């Protein structure tokens, strides 16, 4: 369909951890270090990081390039 916007699925840290077979804290470390891009949802005091499929794919590609 013309003009369709592709809906980006946003994953929780726990979902990314499961997909990557790592601990949640490892994913949070990747986000803090800037290796894995994420989007913050909610107020700063209690914000939740979300990672899109595209962000995760970019991260995986960057790992294979190291």
């Amino acid at each position: 369909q013309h003009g369709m916007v592709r809906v980006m699925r946003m994953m929780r840290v726990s979902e990314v951890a499961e997909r990557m077979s790592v601990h949640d804290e490892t994913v949070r470390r990747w986000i803090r270090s800037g290796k894995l891009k994420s989007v913050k949802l909610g107020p700063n005091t209690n914000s939740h990081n979300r990672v899109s499929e595209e962000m995760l794919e970019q991260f995986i590609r960057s790992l294979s390039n190291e």
Side-chain angles (χ1 to χ4, degrees), residues 35-36 56-66:
K35 288 182 182 174
L36 176 59
L56 185 57
E57 283 167 23
Q58 281 179 349
F59 175 68
I60 293 168
R61 279 198 300 273
S62 76
L63 288 179
S64 61
N65 290 340
E66 279 183 1

Side-chain angles (χ1 to χ4, degrees), residues 2-16:
H2 188 70
M4 276 280 286
V5 175
R6 197 171 72 103
V7 177
M8 255 198 284
R9 200 171 103 62
M10 301 303 279
M11 293 177 285
R12 293 188 304 277
V13 165
S14 58
E15 293 175 283
V16 175

Side-chain angles (χ1 to χ4, degrees), residues 28-41:
R28 288 190 195 96
R29 205 176 310 121
W30 289 338
I31 290 169
R32 277 196 304 271
S33 70
K35 288 182 182 174
L36 176 59
K37 289 184 172 59
S38 71
V39 174
K40 275 188 189 263
L41 302 178

